[in-house]
Amino acid sequence: MKKIMVVGVSAGAGKSTFARKLSDILQINVYHLDTMYWEPGWVEAAFEDFKSRQQEVINQQEWIIEGNYNSTFEMRVEKADTIIYIEKSLTVCLYRVIKRWLTNIGKDRPDRAIGCNEKIDMAFIKFICSTYFQRKKKMRQQLEKLKSSKQVFIFTTNTEIDTFLRRLAN
């Protein structure tokens, strides 16, 4: 595992936390797609800039890239040797998004671009709810196809995640 994608069913699945822990264990830098996509003040980057920032990372010898962004999924998966997918229930994802917002109000986070303080609105909650089941089905289909050429891990419980990380650490 040298070129690792960490993706999830939704915001709040635990991608960022998992990627940071994986980075600590493997001593491989983690890159968060949100920091590549968002400019300060929650301004979307131009698509070519977003793609270019990812290209710089995937051309490196080793990396962990955390985030979904289907528009550039294929360019990352082409270079990845490992895909780790975290699938939590919709209820857990929503709970974590709200908890994260309450914990980080007015703060920057390492998995966000500078100047993109934690925020939440009904449009974001609606997006999570309205896309969850469709994304879950699509991701499972994509991963099934990738199993023949990539190392694919699917985690649905904290026990699975903890066991995987503990084994890697040992």
Side-chain angles (χ1 to χ4, degrees):
M1 291 192 308
K2 295 288 183 190
K3 297 180 178 188
I4 307 162
M5 290 174 59
V6 177
V7 294
V9 67
S10 174
K15 301 177 299 291
S16 299
T17 301
F18 178 87
R20 282 191 299 273
K21 289 178 181 178
L22 187 63
S23 173
D24 289 344
I25 292 167
L26 298 178
Q27 295 298 295
I28 297 175
N29 288 334
V30 63
Y31 300 89
H32 303 279
L33 290 180
D34 280 345
T35 65
M36 296 180 205
Y37 185 79
W38 294 106
E39 303 288 346
W42 292 103
V43 174
E44 293 179 37
F47 182 70
E48 286 306 315
D49 291 341
F50 179 51
K51 247 176 91 172
S52 169
R53 291 170 186 160
Q54 287 178 72
Q55 194 65 54
E56 287 178 26
V57 173
I58 65 175
N59 286 337
Q60 296 176 23
Q61 292 295 320
E62 54 185 30
W63 42 262
I64 299 169
I65 298 178
E66 172 273 319
N68 290 344
Y69 291 93
N70 289 329
S71 63
T72 57
F73 184 85
E74 290 302 321
M75 70 182 280
R76 293 188 312 275
V77 85
E78 184 181 307
K79 299 276 189 168
D81 57 47
T82 306
I83 297 113
I84 297 171
Y85 171 64
I86 302 174
E87 185 180 282
K88 297 292 184 161
S89 71
L90 177 58
T91 306
V92 168
C93 292
L94 288 170
Y95 168 79
R96 287 179 173 177
V97 164
I98 293 167
K99 180 183 174 191
R100 180 173 65 203
W101 171 67
L102 290 170
T103 305
N104 294 292
I105 292 174
K107 299 177 187 173
D108 284 324
R109 291 193 350 237
D111 56 342
R112 288 280 162 77
I114 293 173
C116 291
N117 292 340
E118 195 65 43
K119 71 173 189 164
I120 197 169
D121 56 26
M122 282 311 295
F124 186 47
I125 297 295
K126 185 177 177 182
F127 170 78
I128 292 169
C129 292
S130 66
T131 62
Y132 177 87
F133 294 102
Q134 178 184 355
R135 290 165 63 110
K136 179 178 173 178
K137 181 180 177 182
K138 182 180 179 185
M139 189 60 77
R140 287 290 186 132
Q141 290 170 342
Q142 285 178 306
L143 294 173
E144 193 58 42
K145 291 176 188 172
L146 293 169
K147 283 182 178 179
S148 63
S149 61
K150 308 284 179 185
Q151 197 170 199
V152 176
F153 297 94
I154 298 172
F155 301 126
T156 60
T157 68
N158 290 340
T159 301
E160 291 171 338
I161 290 168
D162 293 343
T163 300
F164 177 81
L165 292 172
R166 196 170 34 257
R167 285 184 181 154
L168 279 181
N170 295 330

